[in-house]
Amino acid sequence: MSELLPYVTVEPTSVHKATVIWLHGLGADGHDFEPIVPELKLPAELGVKFVFPHAPVIPVTINGGYQMRAWYDIRNADLSQREDEAGVRQSAEQVEQLIKHEIEQGIPADRIILAGFSQGGAVTLHLATRLNQKLAGIVALSTYLTIPDKLADEKSDANLDTTIFMAHGQQDPVVPMQRGQFSAKVLEENGFKVQWSDYPMPHAVCLEEIQALGRYIEEVLG
């Protein structure tokens, strides 16, 4: 996998000292969360660059095989069986290449935050719990843990002390909040630290959540 995923970049306004790699949800693209960067209100001196990769275009079974940007195929509406395990693992490998690219540019892993929304959050949780390098932070929004039964055997200890910022909508019809809470429980049972928040919203993000995320980023990079 020598070729990097294409991505959108938001450069820092000062010297580049840290990077957030943020994965979009199903059917969106790297531009989806670009407008949120100013809303985080991060201090310029943190020097945070944002990398928003575009997922590959693949046929998605649950949408009648229609081709769209997706991190993995979704086969049915049942969250416990919906993900395409091979697809999750392939996307995780591609995102790991982006992390390696940032390290090659001089940003150490412990100055990199891996973030994702929905499907992107699922890939984020899969990769971050198995990565052999310590990250600065892990952000999982409106998402769930794929392949939870294999986590105990596959997890790495590198990010056991890295707080995972998890947030979810209480009225989420796409990924029910109970699935997010179950995922947080499995993560904690496997030794990971979870900071959980939920908000009165559907499958989306809200201002209060973005403000909390801004504080989290500032805290882990400060």
Side-chain angles (χ1 to χ4, degrees), residues 12-120:
T13 53
S14 64
V15 179
H16 180 204
K17 300 176 190 170
T19 300
V20 176
I21 299 172
W22 193 322
L23 313 185
H24 62 76
L26 176 67
D29 65 19
H31 293 286
D32 199 30
F33 285 97
E34 197 179 352
I36 276 173
V37 174
E39 303 299 322
L40 294 166
K41 295 187 169 21
L42 299 175
E45 59 268 22
L46 282 181
V48 183
K49 178 176 88 172
F50 285 80
V51 172
F52 298 103
H54 301 298
V57 176
I58 62 169
V60 176
T61 304
I62 201 172
N63 290 337
Y66 184 79
Q67 296 222 352
M68 61 180 64
R69 292 201 182 274
W71 297 107
Y72 52 88
D73 188 21
I74 295 181
R75 291 163 176 161
N76 61 56
D78 182 348
L79 274 173
S80 63
Q81 304 171 36
R82 71 188 298 180
E83 73 266 2
D84 148 35
E85 184 177 333
V88 172
R89 293 185 188 280
Q90 184 177 350
S91 283
E93 284 178 26
Q94 291 177 301
V95 175
E96 188 173 359
Q97 294 304 314
L98 289 172
I99 294 173
K100 287 177 179 174
H101 180 68
E102 287 303 305
I103 293 170
E104 287 164 5
Q105 305 300 307
I107 303 300
D110 63 4
R111 303 298 294 167
I112 296 172
I113 293 172
L114 187 58
F117 174 81
S118 193
Q119 230 199 15

